Coordinates of all heavy atoms in Angstrom, one line a residue:
M21 N 24.4 -28.8 114.7 CA 23.5 -29.4 113.7 C 22.3 -30.1 114.4 O 22.5 -30.9 115.3 CB 24.3 -30.5 112.9 CG 23.6 -31.1 111.8 SD 24.5 -32.4 110.9 CE 25.5 -31.4 109.9
D22 N 21.1 -29.6 114.0 CA 19.9 -30.1 114.6 C 19.5 -31.4 113.9 O 18.8 -31.4 112.9 CB 18.8 -29.1 114.5 CG 17.5 -29.6 115.0 OD1 17.4 -30.6 115.7 OD2 16.5 -28.9 114.7
L23 N 20.0 -32.6 114.4 CA 19.7 -33.8 113.7 C 18.3 -34.2 113.7 O 17.7 -34.7 112.7 CB 20.6 -34.9 114.4 CG 20.8 -36.2 113.6 CD1 21.4 -35.9 112.3 CD2 21.7 -37.2 114.4
M24 N 17.6 -34.0 114.8 CA 16.1 -34.3 114.9 C 15.3 -33.5 113.9 O 14.5 -34.0 113.2 CB 15.6 -34.1 116.3 CG 16.1 -35.1 117.3 SD 15.9 -36.9 116.8 CE 14.2 -37.1 117.0
G25 N 15.7 -32.2 113.8 CA 15.0 -31.3 112.9 C 15.2 -31.8 111.4 O 14.3 -31.8 110.6
M26 N 16.5 -32.2 111.1 CA 16.8 -32.7 109.8 C 16.1 -34.0 109.5 O 15.6 -34.2 108.4 CB 18.3 -32.8 109.6 CG 19.0 -31.5 109.5 SD 20.7 -31.5 108.9 CE 21.4 -32.9 109.6
M27 N 16.0 -34.9 110.5 CA 15.3 -36.1 110.2 C 13.8 -35.9 109.9 O 13.2 -36.5 109.1 CB 15.4 -37.1 111.4 CG 16.9 -37.6 111.6 SD 17.6 -38.4 110.2 CE 16.7 -39.9 110.1
G28 N 13.2 -35.0 110.7 CA 11.8 -34.6 110.4 C 11.6 -34.0 109.0 O 10.7 -34.4 108.3
K29 N 12.6 -33.2 108.6 CA 12.6 -32.6 107.3 C 12.7 -33.7 106.2 O 12.1 -33.6 105.2 CB 13.7 -31.5 107.2 CG 13.6 -30.7 106.0 CD 12.6 -29.6 106.3 CE 12.8 -28.5 105.2 NZ 11.5 -27.8 105.0
L30 N 13.6 -34.6 106.5 CA 13.8 -35.7 105.6 C 12.5 -36.5 105.4 O 12.1 -36.9 104.3 CB 14.9 -36.6 106.1 CG 15.4 -37.8 105.2 CD1 15.9 -37.2 103.9 CD2 16.4 -38.6 105.9
K31 N 11.8 -36.9 106.5 CA 10.5 -37.6 106.4 C 9.5 -36.8 105.6 O 8.8 -37.4 104.8 CB 10.0 -37.9 107.8 CG 10.5 -39.1 108.5 CD 9.6 -39.5 109.6 CE 9.9 -40.8 110.3 NZ 10.9 -41.7 109.8
E32 N 9.5 -35.5 105.9 CA 8.5 -34.6 105.2 C 8.8 -34.6 103.7 O 7.9 -34.7 102.9 CB 8.7 -33.2 105.8 CG 7.6 -32.2 105.4 CD 7.9 -30.9 106.1 OE1 8.0 -30.8 107.3 OE2 8.0 -29.9 105.3
T33 N 10.1 -34.5 103.3 CA 10.5 -34.5 101.9 C 10.2 -35.8 101.3 O 9.7 -35.9 100.1 CB 12.0 -34.2 101.8 OG1 12.2 -32.9 102.4 CG2 12.4 -34.1 100.4
Q34 N 10.4 -37.0 102.0 CA 10.1 -38.3 101.4 C 8.6 -38.4 101.1 O 8.2 -38.9 100.1 CB 10.5 -39.4 102.3 CG 12.0 -39.6 102.3 CD 12.5 -40.6 103.3 OE1 12.0 -40.7 104.5 NE2 13.5 -41.4 103.0
Q35 N 7.8 -37.8 102.0 CA 6.3 -37.8 101.8 C 6.0 -37.0 100.6 O 5.1 -37.4 99.8 CB 5.6 -37.3 103.1 CG 4.1 -37.4 102.9 CD 3.6 -38.8 102.7 OE1 3.9 -39.7 103.4 NE2 2.8 -39.0 101.6
K36 N 6.6 -35.8 100.5 CA 6.3 -35.0 99.3 C 6.7 -35.7 98.0 O 6.1 -35.5 97.0 CB 7.1 -33.6 99.4 CG 6.4 -32.7 100.4 CD 7.1 -31.3 100.5 CE 6.4 -30.5 101.5 NZ 7.1 -29.2 101.6
I37 N 7.8 -36.4 98.0 CA 8.3 -37.2 96.9 C 7.2 -38.2 96.5 O 6.8 -38.4 95.3 CB 9.6 -37.8 97.1 CG1 10.7 -36.7 97.1 CG2 10.0 -38.9 96.0 CD1 12.1 -37.2 97.6
E38 N 6.7 -38.9 97.5 CA 5.7 -40.0 97.3 C 4.4 -39.3 96.7 O 3.8 -39.8 95.7 CB 5.3 -40.7 98.5 CG 6.4 -41.7 99.0 CD 6.9 -42.6 97.9 OE1 6.0 -43.3 97.3 OE2 8.1 -42.7 97.6
D39 N 4.0 -38.2 97.3 CA 2.8 -37.4 96.8 C 3.1 -37.0 95.3 O 2.1 -37.1 94.5 CB 2.5 -36.2 97.6 CG 2.1 -36.6 99.0 OD1 1.7 -37.8 99.3 OD2 2.1 -35.7 99.9
T40 N 4.3 -36.5 95.0 CA 4.6 -36.1 93.6 C 4.5 -37.3 92.7 O 4.0 -37.2 91.6 CB 6.0 -35.4 93.6 OG1 6.0 -34.3 94.5 CG2 6.3 -35.0 92.2
K41 N 5.1 -38.4 93.1 CA 5.0 -39.6 92.2 C 3.6 -40.0 92.0 O 3.2 -40.4 90.8 CB 5.8 -40.8 92.9 CG 7.3 -40.6 92.8 CD 8.0 -41.8 93.4 CE 9.5 -41.7 93.3 NZ 10.2 -42.7 94.0
K42 N 2.7 -40.0 93.0 CA 1.3 -40.3 92.8 C 0.6 -39.3 91.8 O -0.1 -39.7 91.0 CB 0.6 -40.3 94.1 CG 0.8 -41.5 94.9 CD 0.0 -41.5 96.2 CE 0.4 -42.6 97.1 NZ 0.2 -42.3 98.5
R43 N 1.0 -38.0 92.0 CA 0.4 -37.0 91.1 C 0.8 -37.2 89.7 O 0.1 -37.1 88.7 CB 0.8 -35.6 91.6 CG 0.1 -34.5 90.8 CD 0.4 -33.1 91.4 NE 1.8 -32.9 91.5 CZ 2.6 -32.5 90.5 NH1 2.1 -32.4 89.3 NH2 3.9 -32.3 90.7
L44 N 2.1 -37.6 89.5 CA 2.6 -37.8 88.1 C 2.0 -39.0 87.5 O 2.0 -39.1 86.2 CB 4.2 -38.0 88.2 CG 4.9 -36.7 88.5 CD1 6.4 -37.0 88.7 CD2 4.7 -35.7 87.5
D45 N 1.3 -39.9 88.2 CA 0.6 -41.0 87.6 C -0.7 -40.5 86.9 O -1.2 -41.2 86.1 CB 0.1 -42.0 88.7 CG 1.1 -43.1 88.9 OD1 1.9 -43.4 88.0 OD2 1.1 -43.6 90.1
T46 N -1.1 -39.3 87.2 CA -2.3 -38.7 86.6 C -1.9 -37.7 85.5 O -2.8 -37.2 84.8 CB -3.1 -38.0 87.7 OG1 -2.4 -36.8 88.2 CG2 -3.5 -38.9 88.8
V47 N -0.6 -37.4 85.4 CA -0.2 -36.4 84.3 C 0.1 -37.2 83.0 O 0.9 -38.1 83.0 CB 1.1 -35.7 84.7 CG1 1.6 -34.8 83.6 CG2 0.8 -34.8 86.0
L48 N -0.7 -36.9 82.0 CA -0.6 -37.6 80.7 C 0.3 -36.9 79.7 O 0.2 -35.7 79.5 CB -2.0 -37.9 80.2 CG -2.9 -38.7 81.0 CD1 -4.3 -38.9 80.4 CD2 -2.3 -40.1 81.4
I49 N 1.1 -37.7 79.0 CA 2.0 -37.2 78.0 C 1.4 -37.8 76.7 O 1.3 -39.0 76.6 CB 3.4 -37.7 78.1 CG1 4.0 -37.4 79.5 CG2 4.3 -37.2 77.0 CD1 4.3 -36.0 79.8
N50 N 1.1 -37.0 75.7 CA 0.6 -37.4 74.4 C 1.7 -37.2 73.4 O 2.3 -36.1 73.3 CB -0.6 -36.7 74.0 CG -1.8 -36.9 74.9 OD1 -2.2 -38.1 75.1 ND2 -2.3 -35.9 75.6
E51 N 2.0 -38.2 72.6 CA 3.0 -38.1 71.5 C 2.4 -38.8 70.3 O 1.6 -39.7 70.4 CB 4.3 -38.8 72.0 CG 5.5 -38.6 71.1 CD 5.8 -37.1 70.9 OE1 6.2 -36.4 71.9 OE2 5.7 -36.6 69.8
Q52 N 2.9 -38.3 69.1 CA 2.4 -39.0 67.9 C 3.5 -38.9 66.8 O 4.4 -38.0 66.9 CB 1.1 -38.3 67.4 CG 1.3 -36.9 67.0 CD -0.1 -36.3 66.5 OE1 -1.1 -36.8 66.8 NE2 0.0 -35.3 65.7
S53 N 3.4 -39.7 65.8 CA 4.3 -39.6 64.7 C 4.0 -38.4 63.9 O 2.9 -37.8 64.1 CB 4.1 -40.9 63.8 OG 2.8 -40.9 63.3
N54 N 5.0 -37.9 63.1 CA 4.8 -36.7 62.4 C 3.6 -36.7 61.5 O 2.9 -35.6 61.3 CB 6.1 -36.4 61.5 CG 7.3 -36.1 62.4 OD1 7.1 -35.6 63.5 ND2 8.4 -36.3 61.8
D55 N 3.2 -37.8 60.9 CA 2.0 -37.9 60.1 C 0.8 -38.3 60.9 O -0.3 -38.5 60.3 CB 2.3 -38.9 58.9 CG 2.7 -40.3 59.5 OD1 2.6 -40.5 60.7 OD2 3.2 -41.1 58.6
A56 N 0.9 -38.4 62.2 CA -0.3 -38.7 63.1 C -0.9 -40.1 62.8 O -2.0 -40.3 63.3 CB -1.3 -37.6 63.0
L57 N -0.1 -41.0 62.2 CA -0.7 -42.4 62.0 C -0.5 -43.2 63.3 O -1.2 -44.2 63.4 CB 0.1 -43.0 60.9 CG -0.1 -42.4 59.5 CD1 0.7 -43.2 58.4 CD2 -1.6 -42.3 59.1
L58 N 0.3 -42.8 64.2 CA 0.5 -43.6 65.5 C 0.5 -42.5 66.6 O 1.2 -41.6 66.6 CB 1.8 -44.3 65.5 CG 2.0 -45.2 66.7 CD1 1.6 -46.6 66.5 CD2 3.4 -45.1 67.2
K59 N -0.3 -42.8 67.6 CA -0.4 -41.9 68.8 C -0.3 -42.8 70.0 O -0.9 -43.8 70.1 CB -1.8 -41.2 68.8 CG -2.0 -40.3 67.6 CD -3.4 -39.7 67.5 CE -3.5 -38.9 66.2 NZ -4.9 -38.4 66.1
V60 N 0.5 -42.2 71.0 CA 0.6 -42.9 72.3 C 0.3 -41.9 73.4 O 0.5 -40.7 73.3 CB 2.0 -43.6 72.5 CG1 2.2 -44.6 71.4 CG2 3.1 -42.5 72.5
T61 N -0.2 -42.4 74.5 CA -0.4 -41.7 75.7 C 0.2 -42.5 76.8 O 0.0 -43.7 77.0 CB -1.9 -41.4 76.0 OG1 -2.5 -40.7 74.9 CG2 -2.1 -40.6 77.2
L62 N 1.0 -41.8 77.7 CA 1.6 -42.4 78.8 C 1.6 -41.4 80.0 O 1.5 -40.2 79.8 CB 2.9 -43.1 78.6 CG 4.1 -42.2 78.2 CD1 5.4 -42.9 78.6 CD2 4.1 -42.0 76.7
T63 N 1.8 -42.0 81.2 CA 1.8 -41.1 82.4 C 3.2 -40.5 82.5 O 4.2 -41.0 81.9 CB 1.5 -41.8 83.7 OG1 2.5 -42.7 84.0 CG2 0.2 -42.6 83.6
A64 N 3.4 -39.5 83.3 CA 4.7 -38.9 83.6 C 5.6 -39.9 84.3 O 6.8 -39.7 84.4 CB 4.6 -37.6 84.4
N65 N 5.0 -41.0 84.8 CA 5.8 -42.1 85.4 C 6.0 -43.2 84.4 O 6.4 -44.3 84.7 CB 5.1 -42.7 86.6 CG 5.2 -41.7 87.8 OD1 6.2 -41.1 88.0 ND2 4.1 -41.7 88.6
T66 N 5.8 -42.9 83.1 CA 6.1 -43.8 82.0 C 5.3 -45.1 81.9 O 5.7 -46.1 81.3 CB 7.6 -44.1 81.8 OG1 8.0 -44.9 82.9 CG2 8.5 -42.9 81.7
A67 N 4.1 -45.0 82.4 CA 3.1 -46.2 82.2 C 2.3 -45.9 81.0 O 1.7 -44.8 80.9 CB 2.2 -46.3 83.5
I68 N 2.3 -46.8 80.0 CA 1.6 -46.6 78.8 C 0.1 -46.7 79.1 O -0.3 -47.7 79.7 CB 2.1 -47.6 77.7 CG1 3.5 -47.4 77.4 CG2 1.2 -47.5 76.5 CD1 4.1 -48.5 76.5
K69 N -0.7 -45.7 78.6 CA -2.1 -45.7 78.8 C -2.9 -46.1 77.6 O -3.9 -46.8 77.6 CB -2.6 -44.4 79.3 CG -2.2 -44.0 80.7 CD -2.8 -45.0 81.7 CE -2.6 -44.6 83.1 NZ -3.2 -45.6 84.0
S70 N -2.4 -45.7 76.4 CA -3.0 -46.0 75.2 C -2.1 -45.9 74.0 O -1.1 -45.2 74.0 CB -4.3 -45.1 74.9 OG -3.9 -43.8 74.6
I71 N -2.4 -46.7 73.0 CA -1.7 -46.7 71.7 C -2.8 -46.7 70.6 O -3.6 -47.6 70.6 CB -0.7 -47.8 71.5 CG1 0.4 -47.8 72.6 CG2 -0.1 -47.8 70.1 CD1 1.3 -49.0 72.5
A72 N -2.8 -45.7 69.7 CA -3.7 -45.7 68.6 C -2.9 -45.9 67.3 O -2.0 -45.1 67.0 CB -4.5 -44.4 68.6
I73 N -3.3 -46.9 66.5 CA -2.6 -47.2 65.3 C -3.5 -47.1 64.1 O -4.6 -47.7 64.0 CB -2.0 -48.6 65.3 CG1 -1.1 -48.8 66.5 CG2 -1.3 -49.0 64.0 CD1 -0.6 -50.2 66.8
D74 N -3.2 -46.2 63.1 CA -3.9 -46.1 61.9 C -3.9 -47.4 61.1 O -2.8 -48.1 61.1 CB -3.4 -44.9 61.1 CG -4.2 -44.6 59.9 OD1 -4.0 -45.2 58.8 OD2 -5.1 -43.8 60.0
D75 N -5.0 -47.8 60.5 CA -5.1 -49.0 59.7 C -4.0 -49.2 58.7 O -3.6 -50.3 58.4 CB -6.5 -49.2 59.1 CG -7.5 -49.5 60.1 OD1 -7.2 -49.9 61.3 OD2 -8.7 -49.4 59.8
S76 N -3.6 -48.0 58.1 CA -2.6 -48.1 57.0 C -1.3 -48.7 57.5 O -0.5 -49.2 56.7 CB -2.4 -46.7 56.4 OG -1.8 -45.8 57.4
L77 N -1.0 -48.5 58.8 CA 0.3 -49.1 59.3 C 0.2 -50.6 59.5 O 1.3 -51.2 59.7 CB 0.6 -48.4 60.7 CG 1.1 -46.9 60.6 CD1 1.3 -46.4 62.0 CD2 2.3 -46.8 59.8
L78 N -1.0 -51.1 59.5 CA -1.1 -52.6 59.7 C -0.6 -53.4 58.5 O -0.5 -54.6 58.7 CB -2.5 -52.9 60.1 CG -3.1 -52.2 61.4 CD1 -4.5 -52.6 61.6 CD2 -2.2 -52.6 62.6
Q79 N -0.4 -52.8 57.4 CA 0.0 -53.5 56.2 C 1.5 -53.8 56.2 O 2.0 -54.7 55.5 CB -0.3 -52.7 54.9 CG -1.7 -52.1 54.9 CD -2.8 -53.1 55.1 OE1 -2.8 -54.2 54.5 NE2 -3.7 -52.8 56.0
D80 N 2.3 -53.1 57.0 CA 3.7 -53.2 57.0 C 4.3 -53.3 58.4 O 4.4 -52.4 59.2 CB 4.3 -51.9 56.3 CG 5.8 -52.0 56.1 OD1 6.5 -52.8 56.8 OD2 6.3 -51.2 55.3
K81 N 4.5 -54.6 58.8 CA 5.0 -54.9 60.1 C 6.3 -54.1 60.5 O 6.3 -53.5 61.6 CB 5.2 -56.4 60.3 CG 5.7 -56.8 61.7 CD 5.8 -58.4 61.7 CE 6.2 -58.9 63.0 NZ 7.6 -58.7 63.3
E82 N 7.2 -54.0 59.6 CA 8.5 -53.3 60.0 C 8.3 -51.8 60.2 O 8.8 -51.2 61.1 CB 9.5 -53.5 58.8 CG 10.4 -54.7 59.1 CD 11.5 -54.9 58.0 OE1 12.0 -53.8 57.5 OE2 11.9 -56.0 57.8
Q83 N 7.4 -51.3 59.3 CA 7.1 -49.8 59.5 C 6.4 -49.6 60.8 O 6.8 -48.6 61.5 CB 6.3 -49.3 58.3 CG 6.0 -47.8 58.4 CD 5.0 -47.4 57.3 OE1 4.3 -48.2 56.7 NE2 5.0 -46.1 57.0
L84 N 5.5 -50.4 61.1 CA 4.8 -50.3 62.4 C 5.7 -50.4 63.6 O 5.7 -49.6 64.5 CB 3.7 -51.3 62.5 CG 2.9 -51.3 63.8 CD1 2.3 -50.0 64.2 CD2 1.8 -52.4 63.8
E85 N 6.6 -51.3 63.5 CA 7.6 -51.5 64.6 C 8.5 -50.2 64.7 O 8.8 -49.7 65.8 CB 8.5 -52.7 64.4 CG 7.7 -54.0 64.6 CD 8.4 -55.3 64.1 OE1 9.5 -55.1 63.4 OE2 7.9 -56.4 64.4
D86 N 8.9 -49.7 63.6 CA 9.7 -48.5 63.6 C 9.0 -47.3 64.2 O 9.5 -46.5 65.0 CB 10.2 -48.1 62.1 CG 11.2 -49.1 61.6 OD1 11.8 -49.8 62.4 OD2 11.4 -49.0 60.4
Y87 N 7.7 -47.2 63.8 CA 6.8 -46.1 64.4 C 6.7 -46.2 65.9 O 6.9 -45.3 66.6 CB 5.4 -46.2 63.7 CG 5.2 -45.3 62.5 CD1 5.9 -45.6 61.3 CD2 4.4 -44.3 62.5 CE1 5.7 -44.8 60.2 CE2 4.1 -43.5 61.4 CZ 4.8 -43.8 60.2 OH 4.6 -43.0 59.1
L88 N 6.5 -47.5 66.3 CA 6.3 -47.7 67.8 C 7.6 -47.3 68.5 O 7.5 -46.6 69.5 CB 5.9 -49.2 68.0 CG 4.5 -49.5 67.8 CD1 4.3 -51.0 67.7 CD2 3.6 -48.9 68.8
I89 N 8.7 -47.7 68.0 CA 10.0 -47.4 68.7 C 10.2 -45.9 68.7 O 10.5 -45.4 69.8 CB 11.1 -48.2 68.0 CG1 11.1 -49.7 68.2 CG2 12.5 -47.6 68.5 CD1 12.0 -50.5 67.3
L90 N 10.0 -45.3 67.6 CA 10.3 -43.8 67.5 C 9.3 -43.0 68.4 O 9.8 -42.2 69.3 CB 10.1 -43.4 66.1 CG 10.4 -41.9 65.8 CD1 11.9 -41.7 65.9 CD2 9.9 -41.5 64.4
V91 N 8.0 -43.3 68.3 CA 7.1 -42.5 69.1 C 7.1 -42.8 70.6 O 7.1 -41.9 71.4 CB 5.6 -42.7 68.5 CG1 4.6 -42.0 69.3 CG2 5.6 -42.2 67.1
L92 N 7.3 -44.1 70.9 CA 7.4 -44.5 72.3 C 8.6 -43.9 73.0 O 8.6 -43.3 74.1 CB 7.3 -46.0 72.5 CG 6.0 -46.6 72.4 CD1 6.1 -48.1 72.3 CD2 5.0 -46.2 73.5
N93 N 9.7 -43.9 72.3 CA 11.0 -43.3 72.8 C 10.8 -41.8 73.0 O 11.3 -41.3 74.0 CB 12.2 -43.6 71.9 CG 12.7 -45.0 72.2 OD1 12.6 -45.5 73.3 ND2 13.3 -45.6 71.2
K94 N 10.2 -41.1 72.1 CA 10.0 -39.7 72.3 C 9.1 -39.4 73.5 O 9.3 -38.5 74.3 CB 9.3 -39.1 71.0 CG 10.3 -38.7 69.9 CD 9.8 -38.2 68.6 CE 8.5 -37.5 68.6 NZ 8.1 -37.1 67.2
A95 N 8.0 -40.2 73.6 CA 7.1 -40.0 74.7 C 7.8 -40.3 76.1 O 7.6 -39.6 77.0 CB 5.9 -40.9 74.5
I96 N 8.6 -41.4 76.1 CA 9.3 -41.8 77.3 C 10.3 -40.7 77.7 O 10.4 -40.3 78.9 CB 9.9 -43.2 77.2 CG1 8.9 -44.2 77.2 CG2 10.9 -43.4 78.3 CD1 9.3 -45.6 76.7
E97 N 11.0 -40.1 76.7 CA 11.9 -39.1 77.0 C 11.2 -37.8 77.6 O 11.7 -37.3 78.6 CB 12.6 -38.7 75.7 CG 13.7 -37.6 75.9 CD 14.4 -37.2 74.6 OE1 14.4 -38.0 73.6 OE2 15.0 -36.1 74.6
K98 N 10.1 -37.4 77.0 CA 9.3 -36.3 77.6 C 8.9 -36.6 79.0 O 9.0 -35.8 79.9 CB 8.1 -36.0 76.7 CG 8.4 -35.2 75.5 CD 7.0 -34.9 74.8 CE 7.3 -34.2 73.5 NZ 6.0 -33.9 72.8
A99 N 8.3 -37.8 79.2 CA 7.8 -38.2 80.5 C 9.0 -38.2 81.6 O 8.8 -37.7 82.7 CB 7.1 -39.5 80.5
T100 N 10.1 -38.7 81.2 CA 11.2 -38.8 82.1 C 11.7 -37.5 82.5 O 12.0 -37.2 83.7 CB 12.4 -39.7 81.4 OG1 11.9 -41.0 81.1 CG2 13.6 -39.8 82.4
K101 N 11.8 -36.5 81.5 CA 12.3 -35.2 81.8 C 11.3 -34.5 82.8 O 11.7 -33.8 83.7 CB 12.4 -34.4 80.5 CG 13.7 -34.7 79.7 CD 13.8 -33.8 78.5 CE 15.0 -34.2 77.7 NZ 15.1 -33.5 76.4
L102 N 10.0 -34.6 82.5 CA 9.0 -34.0 83.4 C 9.1 -34.6 84.8 O 9.1 -33.9 85.8 CB 7.6 -34.2 82.8 CG 6.5 -33.7 83.6 CD1 6.6 -32.2 83.8 CD2 5.1 -34.1 83.0
N103 N 9.2 -35.9 84.8 CA 9.2 -36.6 86.1 C 10.5 -36.1 86.9 O 10.4 -35.8 88.1 CB 9.3 -38.1 85.8 CG 9.3 -39.0 87.1 OD1 10.1 -38.8 88.0 ND2 8.3 -39.9 87.1
Q104 N 11.6 -36.1 86.2 CA 12.9 -35.7 86.9 C 12.8 -34.3 87.4 O 13.2 -33.9 88.5 CB 14.0 -35.9 86.0 CG 15.4 -35.9 86.7 CD 15.5 -37.0 87.8 OE1 15.3 -38.1 87.5 NE2 15.8 -36.6 89.0
S105 N 12.3 -33.4 86.6 CA 12.2 -32.0 87.0 C 11.2 -31.8 88.1 O 11.5 -31.0 89.0 CB 11.9 -31.0 85.8 OG 10.5 -31.2 85.4
E106 N 10.1 -32.5 88.1 CA 9.2 -32.4 89.3 C 9.8 -32.9 90.6 O 9.7 -32.3 91.6 CB 7.9 -33.2 89.0 CG 7.1 -32.6 87.9 CD 6.2 -31.5 88.3 OE1 5.7 -31.5 89.5 OE2 6.0 -30.6 87.5
L107 N 10.5 -34.1 90.5 CA 11.1 -34.6 91.7 C 12.3 -33.8 92.2 O 12.5 -33.6 93.4 CB 11.5 -36.1 91.5 CG 10.3 -37.0 91.3 CD1 10.9 -38.4 91.0 CD2 9.5 -37.1 92.5
D108 N 13.1 -33.2 91.2 CA 14.2 -32.4 91.6 C 13.7 -31.1 92.3 O 14.3 -30.7 93.2 CB 15.0 -31.9 90.3 CG 15.9 -33.0 89.8 OD1 16.0 -34.1 90.5 OD2 16.4 -32.9 88.7
A109 N 12.6 -30.6 91.8 CA 12.0 -29.4 92.4 C 11.7 -29.7 93.9 O 11.9 -28.8 94.8 CB 10.8 -28.9 91.7
V110 N 11.1 -30.8 94.2 CA 10.7 -31.2 95.5 C 11.9 -31.3 96.4 O 12.0 -30.8 97.5 CB 9.8 -32.5 95.6 CG1 9.6 -33.0 97.0 CG2 8.5 -32.2 94.9
T111 N 12.9 -32.1 95.9 CA 14.1 -32.4 96.8 C 14.9 -31.1 97.0 O 15.4 -30.9 98.1 CB 14.9 -33.5 96.2 OG1 15.3 -33.2 94.9 CG2 14.2 -34.8 96.2
K112 N 15.1 -30.3 95.9 CA 15.9 -29.1 96.1 C 15.3 -28.1 97.0 O 16.0 -27.4 97.7 CB 16.2 -28.5 94.7 CG 17.3 -29.3 94.0 CD 17.6 -28.6 92.6 CE 18.8 -29.3 91.9 NZ 18.5 -30.6 91.4
M113 N 14.0 -28.0 96.9 CA 13.3 -27.0 97.7 C 13.3 -27.3 99.2 O 13.4 -26.5 100.0 CB 11.8 -26.9 97.2 CG 10.9 -25.9 97.8 SD 9.3 -25.9 97.1 CE 8.7 -27.6 97.4
D114 N 13.1 -28.6 99.5 CA 12.9 -29.0 100.9 C 14.1 -29.6 101.6 O 14.0 -29.7 102.8 CB 11.7 -30.0 100.9 CG 10.4 -29.3 100.6 OD1 10.3 -28.1 101.0 OD2 9.5 -30.0 100.1
M115 N 15.1 -30.0 100.9 CA 16.2 -30.8 101.5 C 17.3 -29.9 102.1 O 17.8 -29.0 101.4 CB 16.8 -31.7 100.5 CG 16.0 -33.0 100.4 SD 15.8 -33.9 101.9 CE 17.5 -34.3 102.3
P116 N 17.6 -30.1 103.4 CA 18.9 -29.5 103.8 C 20.0 -30.2 103.1 O 20.0 -31.4 102.8 CB 18.9 -29.9 105.3 CG 18.0 -31.1 105.4 CD 17.0 -31.0 104.3
M117 N 21.0 -29.4 102.7 CA 22.1 -30.0 102.0 C 23.1 -30.7 102.9 O 23.8 -30.1 103.7 CB 22.9 -28.9 101.2 CG 22.2 -28.5 100.0 SD 22.0 -29.9 98.8 CE 20.3 -30.1 98.8
I118 N 23.0 -32.1 102.9 CA 23.9 -32.9 103.6 C 24.7 -33.7 102.6 O 24.1 -34.4 101.8 CB 23.0 -33.9 104.5 CG1 22.1 -33.1 105.4 CG2 24.0 -34.8 105.4 CD1 21.0 -34.0 106.0
P119 N 26.0 -33.7 102.7 CA 26.8 -34.4 101.7 C 26.4 -35.9 101.7 O 26.3 -36.5 102.7 CB 28.2 -34.2 102.3 CG 28.2 -33.0 103.1 CD 26.8 -33.0 103.7
G120 N 26.2 -36.4 100.5 CA 25.9 -37.8 100.2 C 24.4 -38.1 100.3 O 24.0 -39.1 99.8
M121 N 23.6 -37.2 100.8 CA 22.1 -37.4 100.9 C 21.4 -37.5 99.5 O 20.4 -38.2 99.4 CB 21.4 -36.4 101.8 CG 21.8 -36.5 103.2 SD 21.4 -38.1 104.0 CE 19.6 -37.8 104.3
E122 N 21.9 -36.7 98.6 CA 21.3 -36.7 97.3 C 21.2 -38.1 96.6 O 20.2 -38.4 95.9 CB 21.9 -35.7 96.3 CG 23.4 -36.0 96.0 CD 24.4 -35.4 97.0 OE1 24.0 -34.8 98.0 OE2 25.6 -35.7 96.8
D123 N 22.0 -39.0 97.0 CA 22.0 -40.4 96.5 C 20.7 -41.1 96.9 O 20.3 -42.1 96.2 CB 23.3 -41.1 96.9 CG 24.5 -40.6 96.2 OD1 24.4 -39.9 95.2 OD2 25.6 -40.8 96.8
L124 N 20.1 -40.7 98.0 CA 19.0 -41.4 98.5 C 17.8 -41.2 97.6 O 16.8 -42.0 97.6 CB 18.6 -40.9 99.9 CG 19.6 -41.3 101.1 CD1 19.1 -40.6 102.3 CD2 19.6 -42.8 101.2
F125 N 17.8 -40.2 96.8 CA 16.6 -39.8 96.1 C 16.7 -40.2 94.6 O 15.9 -39.7 93.8 CB 16.2 -38.3 96.2 CG 16.0 -38.0 97.7 CD1 16.9 -37.4 98.5 CD2 14.7 -38.3 98.2 CE1 16.6 -37.1 99.8 CE2 14.5 -38.1 99.6 CZ 15.4 -37.4 100.3
K126 N 17.6 -41.0 94.2 CA 17.8 -41.3 92.8 C 17.1 -42.7 92.6 O 16.9 -43.4 93.4 CB 19.3 -41.5 92.5 CG 19.9 -40.1 92.5 CD 21.4 -40.2 92.0 CE 21.9 -38.8 92.0 NZ 23.3 -38.7 91.9

């Protein structure tokens, strides 16, 4: 087993993971309610960038809260799936399979 080669590969993979995370900060996920009264944009790293609320939603606090929960959860789910698949692609492509190592990238 070439330990030095594997350590070099590990450092390289960690750098690719960091680069991927930085890139995912620029990938935007747009989500909206079915009636388009509420729209949110967040990064693939789940940082909220914008929320647009139609004036009609401002009349009903409970409805607005429901919309926010629903739309934000949908957007976060999409962003999380994209984020995970991108990071999985990097680690699976570049990592030598060493038992227990997969825990380092979670």
